């Protein structure tokens, strides 16, 4: 069953259109990645799935329901969470408060168990729970952003470049947690990445975006082996 | 010594009133980044609703002062928040994604509109109210002069402190306060974690208006006379207080209010009454030049 279905989506900022008819399909239990160069429209796609910027044309379905015209808070309350570009943790709140904010849409009875789960995935957050989030390192902020998204018990997790600006060891750690969330917690993941090599190895399927359109799609293995992909996104950088 | 103490009491009382108004400026600025110049008028409307309720209670014969005060307090908080809510809903929400200048001009327009609205409905004459709370404590008597700490001043100081404690707890300890702080720090992200941003902004206006209405009631009790124009000067002074304390910071607004009240009282007492407004506004200018983030304000930088 498809969790997320995007059909012919057009969206942009003001008069500038960034997405020119995008089709995406994410099935339950999958990790699907979206790769592409800077400015291809990847982040715009994630944000417009959440209703900001709003789709000017096309249709977005979440768990079979049309969410194209819903306000952002109503969309995420249906079980979709995003860890957005730039992490956007609340810098003047403590780590714990950030996680509490993530849980603002869920039943308070789950809170302790969910918190424990996030602390198990990222033990450093437990140590830093009373620290102001703005003073965390980049990697810790990324863990917090993912943790905050998980606190809402999402059925679908949208991740925007979780590896950006992190040291290789941390990148590996972030990716292994994404796999664990997918396998153990059965969260469907839609992952936007520039780090194509890691993303394609992790994902079941991938899409390639260029200039606001999907130009290629296939299984992670196929895309990794595709000579065009290798030339454009893989060789010269891992 | 006695004279100094008297000015301290007067300044504190005045500062409490400014502080309550300043919280409204600072919260609205914190959450949507605009200066709500009509907030002084909300304070004025709070004072008018108070006087109308007092007169109405007099007509139906509620004579017991504590009960009358409580009814007036609740009535003015409730009705004034409706004005605050409507102001945002009608004038500011449609402009939320427009340039900031549009919202600012609209705020000034709403300020003029509300002044004229009250002037039309209530007339331009001063509205006096018989003293409701009389008496006080006199101490340090020295010939002609004695320090007078009236029961009214005690009530104003105590009620303000109680409101500020309650309000601080609300902001720091409750889920509503957390949502509000989240919206202040990142409105878009707050929506992304499922917070109804429109509702939170409405609640901010409601809280700001109800605190300003209490200030209006206190102003009415303290001075005994109001007119449709009192919101202007009080509003600008409270705005100064918010800037002095650091716009966007709630403790800053309280501190700034107190300081402005004290400065005004001492300036009037030791220099000249005529120039007390100059003193307050000179501070606004100096703060904006030398410390634009105010005393407790946060600079707009964060670690990335």
């Amino acid at each position: 069953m498809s969790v997320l279905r995007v059909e012919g989506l057009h969206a942009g900022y003001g008069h500038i259109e960034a997405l020119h008819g995008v089709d995406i399909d994410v099935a339950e239990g999958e990790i699907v990645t979206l790769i592409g160069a800077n400015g291809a429209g990847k982040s715009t796609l994630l944000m417009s799935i959440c209703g900001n910027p709003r789709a000017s044309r096309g249709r977005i379905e979440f768990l079979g329901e049309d969410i194209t015209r819903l306000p952002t808070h109503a969309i995420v309350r249906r079980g979709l969470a995003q860890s957005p570009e730039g992490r956007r943790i609340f810098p003047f709140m403590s780590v714990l408060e950030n996680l509490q904010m993530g849980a603002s849409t869920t039943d308070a009875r789950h809170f302790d168990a969910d918190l424990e789960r996030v602390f198990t995935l990222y033990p450093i957050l437990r140590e830093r729970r009373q620290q102001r989030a703005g003073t965390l390192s980049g990697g810790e902020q990324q863990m917090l952003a993912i943790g905050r998204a998980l606190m809402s018990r999402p059925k679908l997790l949208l991740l925007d470049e979780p590896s950006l600006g992190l040291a290789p060891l941390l990148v590996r750690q972030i990716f292994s947690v994404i796999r664990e969330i997918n396998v153990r917690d059965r969260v469907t993941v839609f992952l936007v990445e520039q780090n194509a090599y890691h993303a394609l190895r992790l994902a079941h399927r991938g899409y390639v975006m260029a200039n606001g359109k999907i130009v290629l799609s296939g299984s992670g293995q196929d895309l990794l082996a595709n000579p065009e992909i290798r030339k454009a996104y893989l060789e010269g950088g891992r | 010594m006695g004279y100094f103490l008297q000015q301290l009491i007067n300044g504190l009382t005045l500062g409490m009133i400014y502080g309550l108004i300043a919280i409204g400026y600072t919260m609205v600025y914190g959450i949507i980044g605009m200066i709500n110049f009509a907030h002084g008028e909300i304070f004025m409307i709070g004072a008018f609703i108070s006087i109308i309720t007092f007169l109405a209670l007099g007509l139906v014969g509620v004579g017991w002062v504590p009960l009358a005060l409580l009814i007036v307090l609740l009535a003015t908080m409730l009705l004034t928040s409706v004005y605050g809510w409507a102001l945002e809903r009608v004038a500011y929400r449609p402009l939320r994604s427009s340039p900031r200048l549009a919202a600012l001009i609209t705020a000034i327009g709403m300020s003029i509109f509300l002044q004229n609205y009250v002037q039309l409905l209530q007339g331009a004459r001063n509205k006096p109210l018989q003293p409701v709370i009389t008496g006080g404590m006199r101490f340090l008597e020295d010939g002609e002069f004695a320090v007078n700490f009236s029961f009214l001043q005690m009530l104003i100081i105590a009620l303000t402190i109680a409101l500020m404690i309650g309000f601080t707890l609300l902001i720091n300890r409750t889920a509503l306060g957390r949502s509000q702080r989240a919206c202040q720090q990142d409105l878009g992200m707050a929506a992304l974690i499922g917070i109804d941003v429109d509702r939170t902004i409405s609640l901010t206006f409601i809280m700001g208006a109800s605190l300003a209405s209490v200030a209006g009631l206190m102003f009415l009790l303290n001075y005994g006379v109001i007119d449709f124009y009192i919101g202007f000067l009080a509003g600008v002074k409270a705005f100064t207080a918010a800037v002095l304390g650091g716009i966007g910071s709630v403790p800053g607004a309280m501190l700034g209010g107190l300081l402005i009240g004290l400065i005004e009282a001492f300036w009037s007492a030791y220099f000249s009454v005529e120039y007390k407004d100059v003193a307050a506004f000179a501070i606004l200018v100096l703060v904006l030049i030398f410390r634009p983030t105010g005393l407790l304000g946060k600079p707009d930088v964060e670690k990335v």
Side-chain angles (χ1 to χ4, degrees):
Chain A
M1 181 200 157
S2 108
V3 172
L4 176 71
R5 173 171 289 161
V6 176
E7 285 167 5
L9 179 66
H10 290 252
Y13 303 95
H15 295 293
I16 301 159
E17 196 181 75
L19 303 175
H20 319 290
V22 172
D23 299 290
I24 295 276
D25 196 82
V26 179
E28 193 172 352
E30 275 190 311
I31 299 178
V32 175
T33 188
L34 175 67
I35 59 174
N38 246 340
K42 306 185 300 292
S43 297
T44 306
L45 173 61
L46 281 201
M47 288 306 288
S48 87
I49 289 170
C50 294
N52 177 29
R54 204 155 273 306
S56 51
R57 266 193 285 160
R59 180 181 165 88
I60 306 165
E61 261 179 38
F62 178 61
L63 296 170
E65 183 189 4
D66 184 0
I67 57 166
T68 323
R69 302 281 147 213
L70 289 181
T72 300
H73 66 92
I75 293 173
V76 300
R77 281 179 190 185
R78 279 164 170 70
L80 188 155
Q82 180 169 178
S83 162
E85 187 180 25
R87 298 155 196 153
R88 291 172 77 172
I89 50 141
F90 299 113
F92 299 114
M93 288 188 179
S94 70
V95 168
L96 185 64
E97 282 179 321
N98 267 277
L99 295 172
Q100 283 174 322
M101 288 315 303
S104 35
T105 57
T106 58
D107 194 329
R109 275 174 302 180
H110 304 308
F111 181 77
D112 289 330
D114 293 350
L115 189 66
E116 200 50 42
R117 176 73 185 128
V118 169
F119 284 160
T120 314
L121 287 170
Y122 298 117
I124 188 77
L125 294 182
R126 187 198 304 271
E127 276 171 47
R128 304 227 189 273
R129 58 201 294 173
Q130 297 303 341
Q131 193 172 321
R132 228 182 60 181
T135 64
L136 297 178
S137 74
E140 290 161 355
Q141 290 194 8
Q142 185 59 59
M143 296 175 194
L144 180 58
I146 297 176
R148 179 181 61 186
L150 287 177
M151 288 301 289
S152 68
R153 314 194 130 215
K155 298 183 188 82
L156 173 65
L157 181 61
L158 307 177
L159 295 172
D160 198 342
E161 302 217 27
S163 75
L164 188 70
L166 301 186
L169 191 68
L170 271 175
V171 173
R172 209 160 297 160
Q173 201 185 331
I174 293 274
F175 277 85
S176 84
V177 166
I178 295 172
R179 174 169 294 149
E180 194 181 333
I181 294 165
N182 175 252
V183 175
R184 292 241 337 240
D185 304 278
R186 315 179 67 81
V187 177
T188 308
V189 177
F190 185 51
L191 169 72
V192 162
E193 261 300 335
Q194 282 205 59
N195 195 329
Y197 175 73
H198 277 291
L200 289 173
R201 282 206 348 168
L202 173 74
H204 302 108
R205 290 190 302 118
Y207 290 93
V208 182
M209 192 178 223
N211 299 321
K213 280 183 184 151
I214 299 294
V215 291
L216 209 59
S217 68
S219 76
Q221 302 300 329
D222 289 351
L223 289 176
L224 266 178
N226 184 313
E228 271 179 66
I229 301 285
R230 296 193 73 90
K231 214 169 107 197
Y233 302 107
L234 296 174
E235 260 139 44
R238 283 204 162 174
Chain B
M1 178 62 202
Y3 189 61
F4 176 86
L5 206 60
Q6 182 68 63
Q7 299 317 318
L8 188 69
I9 295 171
N10 294 348
L12 278 178
T13 313
L14 194 58
M16 294 288 174
I17 296 177
Y18 290 149
L20 282 178
I21 310 175
I23 291 176
Y25 278 106
T26 220
M27 284 203 311
V28 166
Y29 181 83
I31 206 161
I32 51 175
M34 74 169 277
I35 303 292
N36 176 14
F37 274 116
H39 190 57
E41 269 53 58
I42 295 291
F43 153 82
M44 178 269 291
I45 287 173
F48 266 87
I49 292 173
S50 303
I51 198 169
I52 292 169
T53 320
F54 268 125
L55 297 177
L57 286 176
L59 283 181
V60 299
V62 178
W64 193 47
V65 173
L67 178 67
L69 272 178
L70 186 69
I71 296 176
V72 171
L73 182 71
L74 294 178
T76 190
M77 283 176 90
L78 192 74
L79 295 174
T80 311
S81 6
V82 176
Y83 278 94
W85 173 81
L87 177 67
E88 191 271 336
R89 194 71 192 77
V90 172
Y92 303 151
R93 187 173 298 180
L95 292 173
R96 196 162 314 142
S97 50
S98 328
R100 281 186 184 194
L101 192 59
L104 191 72
I105 293 169
T106 306
I108 296 171
M110 286 312 290
S111 162
I112 298 170
F113 168 78
L114 288 172
Q115 270 177 28
N116 285 276
Y117 162 80
V118 173
Q119 188 186 359
L120 268 178
L121 282 181
Q122 300 295 326
R125 281 185 304 121
N126 288 346
K127 303 281 177 292
L129 180 75
Q130 298 284 329
V132 180
I133 304 170
T134 50
M137 278 163 49
R138 291 167 67 86
F139 48 93
L140 282 181
E141 274 187 79
D142 175 22
E144 294 278 290
F145 188 80
V147 178
N148 189 12
F149 193 7
S150 72
F151 292 136
L152 177 62
Q153 288 174 318
M154 292 179 204
L155 177 77
I156 289 177
I157 292 173
L159 182 58
T160 307
I161 290 175
L163 277 174
M164 285 182 175
I165 290 174
F167 188 72
T168 307
L169 288 177
L170 179 79
I171 293 286
N172 288 324
R173 297 286 166 80
T174 65
L176 172 64
R178 267 202 306 279
S179 310
Q180 206 149 26
R181 281 182 290 140
C183 286
Q184 275 198 17
Q185 291 172 35
D186 191 336
L187 214 54
M189 190 63 226
L192 270 186
I193 53 175
I195 291 172
D196 186 340
V197 170
D198 283 340
R199 186 170 152 265
T200 310
I201 292 174
S202 284
L203 281 170
T204 305
F205 274 82
I206 287 173
M207 284 188 229
S210 63
L211 291 179
S213 76
V214 179
L217 167 62
M218 290 171 175
F219 183 95
L220 171 69
L221 292 172
N222 201 30
Y223 293 98
V225 55
I226 57 171
D227 61 52
F228 68 93
Y229 202 60
I230 58 167
F232 177 71
L233 203 55
V236 178
K237 293 244 180 78
F239 169 64
T240 305
V243 172
L244 172 62
I247 192 102
S249 153
V250 172
M254 300 174 190
L255 178 68
L258 273 186
L259 287 177
I260 293 288
L262 288 171
I263 288 163
E264 220 179 287
F266 282 111
W267 187 280
S268 322
Y270 291 102
F271 299 103
S272 72
V273 183
E274 294 82 21
Y275 285 100
K276 68 180 166 112
D277 297 341
V278 174
F281 298 137
I283 286 170
L284 177 62
V285 173
L286 291 176
V287 170
L288 286 175
I289 293 174
F290 293 108
R291 203 178 156 81
T293 54
L295 296 173
L296 302 182
K298 297 163 191 149
D300 274 340
V301 288
E302 63 189 70
K303 193 174 167 189
V304 183

